[in-house]
Amino acid sequence: MSARADRTRFEEVVLPQLDAAYNLARWLTRNGHDAEDVVQEACERALRYFDAFRGGDAKAWFLTVVRHACYDWLKRNRPSEIAPGDGSEAIENAADPAMLTPEQAVMRNASTSALAEAIAELPVGYREVLILREFEELPYKDIARVVDIPIGTVMSRLARARALLQRSPLLHAIRDRSAGAER
Amino acid sequence: MNCHEAMPLLAAYSDGELDPVQSAAIEKHVLGCTDCAVRRDELASLRSRIRSDVPYYTAPPALHARVKAALARATDTPPNERPARDRWHWLTAGALAGSAATVFAWFVGSAVLDWQVGTDLVAETVANHARATLGNRLLDVASSDRHTVKPWLSARLDYSPPVQDFSADGLPLAGGRLDYLDGHPVATLVYRYREHTIDVFVRPSIGGRAASSPATATLRGFNVAHATGAGMEWWGVSDVSADVLQSLVARLARGPE
């Protein structure tokens, strides 16, 4: 097959997954500009490895490549984020509502940004399984493949991510505040 | 079903991962159990808040354009002008089997195994591979994590083989095994390529032999590739095509990046 014919097939298979790729990269890098760079890099890699794609689920395959590119980016730019450790302290400390300035409190009063922020503050290992599950609705076995962990670990990370979100002091503060406002 | 059984399954239930029988059992239990019903509702409410309150970032139009341009650049570059590392990736993926890049790399990289030196070892590696794939003892340690496989092997040998995983290139590490080669215990790394199994036997290279690019042979339908590098001798055996096997062995002999 010529390189051009390869590319046509590649574009048919992979380009429909560009939103999923960008969303994952955007949540892992937490920055739109870097996410774009990472997705472009991932596309170039995916084209090179295209023959290793065995058919089947293009989304899971491509997201695996995207995740690798994200981790390479994190290694270069934010190595501390992928350091081992469960990072629960980070999320529990990061969002202390008592520390908010009035402007931040106003910003965060919209529950939209509060939940999004709590997700952005999840340790990356939890964040990625949550994004793949809640946004991409990948089955556990595909998440296991993309993240390269056993299904049992997918389940425990998801449980932990959800527990961290439900316990997030930021969310509680907002819930309390809005409950107060309704009274 | 009681709470002890139901509680750990609630997340999988709400994620649609349970079979219909298990799902029905959960639903029946939740009807009579307040705790589990609360937990189920919390999960559902978190999900609906994520769907409604958290942005899904769609790829900006500029990214579509950038990606298309990058792909055009990548495919319009003649293959033999690519850097060596890229060429290896092409080979690994088998993407251009029969194309200019493969043929080019084949001429550069290949040599026929010196049968005078290697016959017995070639036969032994093939016998090891065939025995392992026929029986049930393909893996002594099953893990795609090199940090698991390497210590397992090192603990049982008097050397520590370098272990690399190439999942991103379609050659995931499946695990490791101990074999006998040339009268000594030897580390075997097991890789998967599509439906194929690739065994790579690793032993310290004798007398600091100079690094060599892979040489190949075929025996009883199996391809064998041999290379020296990273302080080790590498013997790859598999029924995959010779170029895939050769590129894997070459990559291993180059050592970790």
Side-chain angles (χ1 to χ4, degrees):
Chain A
M1 205 194 289
S2 77
R4 261 170 226 268
D6 243 2
R7 188 177 106 208
T8 307
R9 206 184 128 231
F10 177 84
E11 290 186 351
E12 284 165 8
V13 171
V14 165
L15 291 189
Q17 311 303 336
L18 212 55
D19 282 344
Y22 180 73
N23 186 55
L24 179 65
R26 176 69 182 69
W27 279 103
L28 293 187
T29 61
R30 298 192 288 202
N31 171 324
H33 182 75
D34 292 322
E36 286 193 37
D37 289 348
V38 166
V39 170
Q40 180 182 336
E41 160 75 20
C43 287
E44 289 168 9
R45 284 190 205 182
L47 178 66
R48 288 201 294 267
Y49 309 151
F50 190 42
D51 210 62
F53 170 54
R54 301 156 198 188
D57 193 340
K59 188 175 189 172
W61 175 77
F62 184 46
L63 288 180
T64 308
V65 180
V66 172
R67 178 184 172 274
H68 270 283
C70 287
Y71 267 70
D72 288 347
W73 184 90
L74 287 170
K75 257 178 233 164
R76 284 195 306 273
N77 295 286
R78 298 205 199 119
S80 63
E81 277 205 33
I82 47 176
D86 90 341
S88 54
E89 279 170 37
I91 185 164
E92 276 156 25
N93 295 335
D96 182 354
M99 304 294 282
L100 298 184
T101 65
E103 290 79 8
Q104 282 172 325
V106 171
M107 289 289 291
R108 288 180 171 199
N109 216 351
S111 65
T112 303
S113 59
L115 184 55
E117 262 187 66
I119 292 174
E121 280 162 11
L122 285 175
V124 65
Y126 299 130
R127 206 186 315 144
E128 62 187 355
V129 293
L130 189 84
I131 297 299
L132 293 171
R133 174 59 226 157
E134 296 294 359
F135 285 124
E136 302 307 336
E137 299 184 23
L138 292 191
Y140 291 173
K141 69 169 172 42
D142 286 353
I143 300 176
R145 207 176 125 208
V146 172
V147 182
D148 196 20
I149 52 179
I151 285 184
T153 310
V154 172
M155 294 173 73
S156 60
R157 286 196 190 171
L158 262 181
R160 185 90 180 113
R162 286 166 170 161
L164 285 169
L165 291 180
Q166 280 160 343
R167 285 216 316 264
S168 163
L170 179 59
L171 293 184
H172 281 285
I174 279 152
R175 203 175 303 155
D176 294 348
R177 202 172 301 165
S178 49
E182 281 163 20
R183 256 179 236 138
Chain B
M1 185 177 276
N2 60 33
C3 277
H4 275 294
E5 293 162 334
M7 203 54 114
L9 293 177
L10 282 173
Y13 167 76
S14 81
D15 287 330
E17 293 277 341
L18 296 186
D19 63 43
V21 176
Q22 284 175 308
S23 292
I26 293 278
E27 280 157 16
K28 190 170 161 224
H29 170 77
V30 167
L31 280 177
C33 173
T34 323
D35 284 353
C36 287
V38 166
R39 182 79 195 109
R40 178 200 58 188
D41 293 346
E42 280 173 358
L43 284 167
S45 127
L46 180 64
R47 164 156 309 144
S48 69
R49 289 180 61 199
I50 291 175
R51 301 268 153 90
S52 62
D53 296 353
V54 177
Y56 183 100
Y57 298 103
T58 53
L63 180 59
H64 281 271
R66 268 178 73 176
V67 164
K68 288 209 164 187
L71 296 180
R73 268 199 312 278
T75 40
D76 293 343
T77 310
N80 57 0
E81 286 174 20
R82 289 167 181 280
R85 183 159 304 252
D86 278 8
R87 197 169 63 233
W88 185 82
H89 284 307
W90 281 101
L91 277 175
T92 308
L96 287 183
S99 76
T102 309
V103 172
F104 174 72
W106 187 243
F107 279 119
V108 171
S110 83
V112 175
L113 253 184
D114 184 347
W115 284 85
Q116 298 295 58
V117 179
T119 312
D120 291 344
L121 278 172
V122 168
E124 252 190 86
T125 58
V126 168
N128 276 340
H129 175 74
R131 197 159 47 234
T133 48
L134 277 175
N136 287 324
R137 207 185 69 92
L138 192 57
L139 296 169
D140 290 334
V141 51
S143 172
S144 59
D145 183 356
R146 61 199 172 87
H147 300 299
T148 304
V149 175
K150 185 182 167 78
W152 189 94
L153 289 167
S154 309
R156 287 159 182 81
L157 293 163
D158 59 357
Y159 61 97
S160 179
V163 178
Q164 298 186 73
D165 173 35
F166 306 113
S167 297
D169 305 325
L171 279 157
L173 177 68
R177 191 175 73 228
L178 288 177
D179 276 300
Y180 246 74
L181 190 64
D182 207 12
H184 295 280
V186 65
T188 309
L189 308 179
V190 183
Y191 290 88
R192 304 270 185 215
Y193 180 74
R194 303 184 174 185
E195 302 308 313
H196 306 278
T197 299
I198 304 176
D199 282 343
V200 181
F201 305 94
V202 196
R203 63 175 187 179
S205 60
I206 305 153
R209 276 174 61 178
S212 68
S213 53
T216 59
T218 304
L219 187 67
R220 302 209 318 257
F222 291 102
N223 285 313
V224 182
H226 172 261
T228 308
M232 297 281 154
E233 241 188 297
W234 307 84
W235 294 88
V237 186
S238 180
D239 55 350
V240 296
S241 66
D243 54 351
V244 169
L245 185 65
Q246 195 185 22
S247 56
L248 172 67
V249 169
R251 178 73 178 269
L252 285 164
R254 213 157 48 213
E257 286 170 6

